[in-house]
């Protein structure tokens, strides 16, 4: 078996030879982030996918992210190292059920988080990410009735911040962000009183209400830079710690503990399916490739482009 540094070099050579770009999400393995041309959150990655002039986009992340890249760059070859890299949040909103739900609210506009399948995006008026959800909602007239999907925690957070109590929420969630234990986080605060709690808005309400800062992965990273503290309890997927340690080596970062202590980690197992071996294989063989029906793609594109224009 080829060892990892050599594999990383071979991936680098293939990238240049094939004019490919590797986009990686913050939640992927550290060694995957290290071979990427760009590492970011969902919003930044979709912006990069829209503007790249590479012939091939290799998406080191989960399936809906690669689909988003294909929607925005239909003429490019979009590769996903492991098509089984799904997302519990996207899976919590099946398109046929969502179509029936939407039909019950004919005068509502649909704002959907990008963590959805392309079929749900095709049923959406405006997409959003955790970075821009508030901005997107606040850009819409106060009397415009809204459905927000699929994350109930982010939706509930937006309702509280904007005071728009009439937003109708789809009842979906991410299994990683729902498993943090408030009790254990508060116990950690007792032993680390100077530590600030940083939470992603997909976490449950009581954790968000206990947090010193709530924001997307990028916003959490930026907050530490502005805040200048020395200790943080981080309530989001553990992959983000890699970028944080690179940026703030002097800071103590404490992963928020999950409810199930036998689990012992906050990993998204879907993100961790992406490995260097699979990236190399996908680039070498130019497969697995993401393909999307054109009618669905063009409908989904409208909702994503509207988001990008407002971001
Ligand atoms: S962390 Fe949650 S929302 Fe993000 S990809 Fe994994 S399952 Fe989906």
């Amino acid at each position: 078996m080829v060892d990892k540094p050599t594999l990383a070099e071979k991936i680098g050579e293939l990238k240049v030879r094939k004019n490919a770009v590797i986009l990686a999400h913050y939640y992927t393995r550290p060694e995957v982030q290290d071979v990427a041309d760009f590492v970011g959150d969902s919003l930044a990655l979709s912006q990069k996918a829209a503007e790249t002039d590479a012939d091939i986009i290799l998406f080191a992340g989960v399936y809906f992210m690669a689909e988003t890249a294909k929607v925005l760059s239909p003429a490019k070859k979009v590769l996903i190292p492991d098509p089984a890299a799904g997302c519990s949040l996207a899976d919590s909103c099946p398109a046929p059920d969502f179509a029936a739900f939407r039909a019950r609210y004919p005068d509502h506009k649909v704002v959907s988080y990008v963590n959805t399948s392309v079929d749900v995006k095709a049923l959406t008026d405006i997409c959003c990410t955790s970075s821009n959800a508030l901005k997107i909602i606040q850009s819409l007239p106060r009397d415009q009735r809204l459905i927000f999907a699929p994350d109930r925690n982010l939706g509930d957070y937006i309702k509280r911040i904007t005071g728009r109590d009439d937003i109708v929420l789809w009842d979906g969630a991410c299994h990683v962000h729902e498993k943090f234990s408030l009790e254990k986080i508060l116990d950690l605060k007792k032993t680390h009183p100077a530590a600030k709690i940083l939470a992603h808005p997909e976490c449950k309400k009581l954790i968000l209400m206990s947090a010193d800062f709530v924001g997307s992965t990028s916003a959490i990273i930026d907050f530490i830079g502005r805040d200048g503290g020395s200790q943080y309890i981080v309530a989001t997927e553990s992959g983000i710690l890699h970028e944080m340690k690179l940026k703030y080596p002097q800071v103590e970062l404490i992963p928020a503990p999950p409810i199930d202590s036998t689990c012992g980690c906050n990993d998204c197992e879907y993100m961790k399916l992406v490995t260097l071996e699979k990236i190399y294989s996908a680039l070498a063989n130019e497969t697995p490739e993401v393909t999307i029906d054109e009618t669905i793609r063009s409908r989904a594109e409208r909702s994503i482009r509207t988001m990008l224009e407002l971001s």
Side-chain angles (χ1 to χ4, degrees):
M1 179 169 146
V2 186
D3 62 16
K4 282 183 176 161
T6 308
L7 202 47
E9 284 168 15
K10 286 188 166 190
I11 289 169
E13 283 165 23
L14 269 180
K15 250 185 356 185
V16 174
R17 181 148 52 86
K18 299 201 173 196
N19 190 26
V21 65
I22 299 181
L23 307 180
H25 193 271
Y26 283 130
Y27 295 168
T28 53
R29 297 167 183 270
E31 65 272 22
V32 167
Q33 295 184 38
D34 290 343
V35 297
D37 297 285
F38 183 77
V39 183
D41 64 6
S42 301
L43 175 61
L45 291 172
S46 45
Q47 285 165 331
K48 285 282 169 194
E51 69 196 26
T52 182
D53 56 5
D55 295 318
I56 295 176
I57 300 172
L58 184 137
F59 215 111
V62 295
Y63 200 82
F64 77 80
M65 296 176 173
E67 272 186 339
T68 303
K70 184 67 181 177
V71 167
L72 292 169
S73 299
K76 296 188 192 307
K77 189 173 269 189
V78 176
L79 303 174
I80 173 101
D82 189 335
C87 167
S88 58
L89 179 52
D91 290 348
S92 71
C93 189
D97 297 353
F98 187 66
F101 180 78
R102 192 182 82 147
R104 284 166 35 203
Y105 304 96
D107 57 345
H108 286 52
K109 267 197 191 301
V110 177
V111 178
S112 289
Y113 204 22
V114 285
N115 301 41
T116 48
S117 67
V118 70
D119 300 284
V120 170
K121 288 185 178 78
L123 295 165
T124 293
D125 294 295
I126 310 176
C127 279
C128 72
T129 71
S130 52
S131 299
N132 63 18
L134 271 175
K135 189 174 174 187
I136 300 280
I137 296 286
Q138 284 166 336
S139 74
L140 298 169
R142 198 70 177 73
D143 58 355
Q144 172 62 60
R145 296 182 168 192
L146 298 173
I147 292 172
F148 184 84
D151 191 82
R152 59 179 171 241
N153 296 314
L154 176 59
D156 182 61
Y157 174 72
I158 287 169
K159 283 172 75 163
R160 276 185 283 122
I161 298 290
T162 61
R164 293 177 77 146
D165 295 331
D166 58 343
I167 297 177
V168 178
L169 301 183
W170 176 265
D171 192 20
C174 157
H175 73 299
V176 176
H177 288 92
E178 282 225 317
K179 73 184 176 189
F180 294 115
S181 161
L182 178 63
E183 201 184 337
K184 290 179 187 172
I185 289 174
L186 295 180
D187 283 348
L188 264 178
K189 264 298 264 191
K190 285 185 198 145
T191 53
H192 301 76
K196 288 187 177 159
I197 301 170
L198 311 178
H200 191 281
E202 287 169 24
C203 295
K204 285 184 170 172
K205 180 177 180 179
L206 289 179
I207 291 191
L208 298 182
M209 294 183 84
S210 310
D212 296 285
F213 179 75
V214 176
S216 66
T217 43
S218 300
I220 288 175
I221 291 170
D222 293 346
F223 174 82
I224 296 178
R226 285 197 309 278
D227 187 55
S230 58
Q231 277 184 336
Y232 297 92
I233 298 167
V234 184
T236 188
E237 210 274 353
S238 58
I240 193 178
L241 298 175
H242 181 62
E243 178 75 7
M244 286 177 168
K245 284 176 191 161
L246 290 176
K247 278 200 149 156
Y248 313 115
Q250 76 288 0
V251 169
E252 185 183 357
L253 301 163
I254 308 160
I259 294 165
D260 177 5
S261 52
T262 59
C263 158
C265 65
N266 311 322
D267 287 349
C268 171
E269 62 270 38
Y270 303 113
M271 289 283 188
K272 303 316 185 225
L273 284 174
V274 183
T275 62
L276 286 188
E277 287 78 5
K278 290 176 191 170
I279 290 174
Y280 177 74
S281 167
L283 269 182
N285 301 309
E286 298 188 22
T287 186
E289 184 181 352
V290 176
T291 55
I292 303 172
D293 170 84
E294 178 53 26
T295 308
I296 296 291
R297 190 205 66 77
S298 61
R299 282 193 206 136
E301 184 176 17
R302 268 201 308 268
S303 62
I304 301 170
R305 294 254 175 228
T306 307
M307 169 188 81
L308 293 175
E309 281 157 21
L310 289 171
S311 297

